[in-house]
Amino acid sequence: MLASRVFSLVGRRSISTSLCLRAHGHAGVVKAEDYTLPAYVDRRDVPLPEVAFVRDLSAQQQALKEKEKASWSALSVDEKVELYRLKFNETYAEMKKGTNEWKTILGGILFFLGVTGIILIWQKHFMYGPIPHTFSEEWLSAQTKRMLDMRVNPVEGISAQWDFEKNEWKK
Amino acid sequence: MRGLLARRMKFNLLGAFLISMGCAALYKFGVAEPRKRAYAEFYKNYDPIKDFEAMKAAGVFECAPPK
C-alpha cells in the first residue's frame, strides 16, 4: 500500500512538471493586458493619439487602407471621411461640444441646499431651545442706546448714523 | 497649435494684469478715498471736551459719574 502511494506521488509530480514545461515552453511571455498597451484618447491636447481608433479592420476597410497607400487624389470625399473615422473617434468640433451637464449639476446643488434648509427649519422648530434673553427688544434698544452714549464708531459706524441733536436716526 | 501656449499665456497675463489693477483701483476709489474723507470731515470741527461732557452726562464713565 505504501508503495502504491509513493507511486501516485511520483506520478502527480511528473504530470505537473510536464504541464509547467508546456506552459513556459510555448510563448515564453505572458499575454499583454489591454490596459498596458498604448491606447486611443479623444483629448484636445493630444492631436495624434498613439494608436488609431479602429483596431481590427474588416476586409472592406483593409482594402481602403491599401488604396490609401496610392495617390490620395484618387480617393473620393466619402473614402477620405471613412479613413478619418478609422483613425479618429470624434472630430475636434465634436470633442469640444458642450453638454447639458451644468443643468444637472446646478439642479443637484439647489436640491441639496433645499434639503439642508428643511433640516435647519426642522431643527429650529423641534430641537433648539429659546434664544438668550439678551436678544429681546428691550435689551437690544437699551444696548444700542448705551453704544450711542459711548460714541461707538463715531466716524463711519453706528454713532455716525445717529443725529445727536434731534435724537433720532439720520435720514 | 503654433504658439498656442504663448498666445493663451499672453492673453491670460494681460487679463490678470487688468483685473488686478481694476480691483486695486476700485478699492482705492470705492473704499480708501471715502474713508479718508470721512475721517477728515469728522475731525475738522471736532470738539473732544464737548464729546466728553456728553458721554459723562449719559453716565457711561465709571470714574466720572454724571453729577
Side-chain angles (χ1 to χ4, degrees):
Chain A
M1 196 179 71
L2 271 164
S4 63
R5 287 186 77 186
V6 166
F7 173 75
S8 61
L9 224 104
V10 168
R12 219 175 291 134
R13 276 194 69 198
S14 63
I15 290 171
S16 61
T17 318
S18 65
L19 267 171
C20 287
L21 274 172
R22 217 179 322 144
H24 278 293
H26 261 202
V29 295
V30 188
K31 180 183 176 300
E33 296 290 331
D34 268 335
Y35 57 80
T36 61
L37 299 168
Y40 176 83
V41 287
D42 266 325
R43 282 181 59 117
R44 285 154 70 178
D45 51 357
V46 179
L48 294 170
E50 290 161 1
V51 289
F53 177 55
V54 179
R55 199 170 45 170
D56 311 306
L57 300 168
S58 73
Q60 199 185 10
Q61 288 167 333
Q62 269 173 344
L64 189 58
K65 276 294 197 187
E66 288 299 321
K67 198 173 171 196
E68 192 193 14
K69 293 179 185 170
S71 165
W72 286 343
S73 44
L75 295 168
S76 74
V77 173
D78 287 325
E79 284 172 333
K80 285 178 191 167
V81 172
E82 173 71 25
L83 282 167
Y84 180 89
R85 288 293 172 185
L86 282 178
K87 204 164 171 105
F88 302 104
N89 182 19
E90 285 182 319
T91 67
Y92 259 76
E94 288 166 5
M95 232 193 286
K96 288 198 236 182
K97 193 169 57 177
T99 63
N100 280 329
E101 193 186 9
W102 68 272
K103 295 178 193 169
T104 313
I105 292 171
L106 191 67
I109 291 172
L110 294 173
F111 174 74
F112 280 109
L113 281 175
V115 168
T116 307
I118 287 179
I119 292 174
L120 291 174
I121 291 169
W122 183 92
Q123 282 181 327
K124 178 77 185 112
H125 190 70
F126 287 107
M127 192 184 86
Y128 287 120
I131 56 172
H133 64 101
T134 54
F135 284 101
S136 66
E137 277 298 321
E138 310 86 49
W139 192 284
L140 282 177
S141 47
Q143 179 177 299
T144 317
K145 176 156 174 30
R146 189 174 158 79
M147 281 167 73
L148 294 169
D149 288 339
M150 286 196 284
R151 305 293 193 273
V152 167
N153 279 338
V155 183
E156 280 190 317
I158 189 168
S159 303
Q161 315 282 359
W162 180 260
D163 193 342
F164 285 98
E165 268 85 62
K166 290 190 230 153
N167 242 14
E168 60 184 8
W169 292 109
K170 284 185 187 167
K171 296 291 175 288
Chain B
M1 304 288 159
R2 305 272 166 85
L4 183 70
L5 178 66
R7 211 166 4 107
R8 277 180 72 85
M9 191 163 283
K10 244 195 298 184
F11 175 74
N12 281 320
L13 210 64
L14 183 70
F17 182 77
L18 287 176
I19 288 174
S20 56
M21 281 302 169
C23 284
L26 216 69
Y27 183 84
K28 181 176 168 71
F29 293 111
V31 178
E33 286 302 315
R35 192 169 284 170
K36 283 194 263 185
R37 254 182 284 125
Y39 272 82
E41 283 296 320
F42 180 77
Y43 284 112
K44 201 158 51 163
N45 305 312
Y46 181 58
D47 185 12
I49 310 293
K50 182 173 117 198
D51 223 26
F52 170 72
E53 293 299 334
M55 282 198 262
K56 186 166 164 217
V60 294
F61 290 127
E62 199 178 304
C63 38
K67 204 60 62 97

